[in-house]
Amino acid sequence: MRTLAALVAGTILAACSPQADGVKVENAWIRLPAVEGQPGAAYFTLQGGRESEALISVSTRAADRTELHESVQGEGGVMTMAPLQRIDVPVGGAVKFAPGGKHVMLFGVVPNVHAGEKIPITLHFASGRAVTTMADLAAPGAVR
């Protein structure tokens, strides 16, 4: 009987662990552009699951087109952006998307979205899995 109880308890704890169901998306937010027609950016943290995964794209109704990017320091200390085809998410690891680092560029931000609202974004992975989460819309220049 104790073995059965231990097995049930272990199964419940495993189901509650952050790695139980694959990649988790946390703290998603979008910084709106300061000037209409300019791109915005999406940020979040990916928490790896039990298997390695790779983010290959992001979609949202807030923008016409998205691209995965990373800010990198170029020659002379000048920051530039480089497009990324995929971003690996290690087993049990975390990948943070933040200003000055990895981010999702949002091109053609639609005019009917406003700071203080929430909007769904969908992250698409190489495995075919997609995860939709709600992202907070933040004013231009916002930092979290």
Side-chain angles (χ1 to χ4, degrees):
M1 191 64 154
R2 283 187 182 169
T3 304
L4 180 59
L7 181 61
V8 170
T11 302
I12 290 170
L13 287 174
C16 295
S17 79
Q19 299 177 18
D21 297 318
V23 176
K24 303 280 190 227
V25 182
E26 300 175 344
N27 305 316
W29 65 287
I30 293 172
R31 182 168 48 198
L32 295 171
V35 177
E36 189 174 330
Q38 294 297 308
Y43 309 102
F44 43 82
T45 299
L46 299 175
Q47 295 291 338
R50 292 183 181 185
E51 297 179 9
S52 61
E53 185 62 277
L55 178 67
I56 57 172
S57 67
V58 176
S59 59
T60 176
R61 67 174 178 81
D64 295 332
R65 178 173 63 90
T66 68
E67 292 180 9
L68 301 173
H69 279 216
E70 182 170 27
S71 297
V72 294
Q73 191 167 10
E75 290 185 35
V78 176
M79 293 299 285
T80 61
M81 284 188 286
L84 300 170
Q85 298 302 311
R86 64 186 281 137
I87 298 169
D88 294 324
V89 183
V91 173
V95 178
K96 187 170 178 89
F97 287 64
K102 290 177 179 58
H103 57 279
V104 179
M105 293 295 298
L106 305 175
F107 297 97
V109 174
V110 298
N112 63 343
V113 294
H114 308 285
E117 298 176 346
K118 290 183 180 282
I119 194 161
I121 62 171
T122 302
L123 289 76
H124 305 273
F125 295 92
S127 66
R129 185 171 185 244
V131 176
T132 299
T133 191
M134 296 302 288
D136 295 324
L137 295 174
V143 179
R144 291 190 177 186

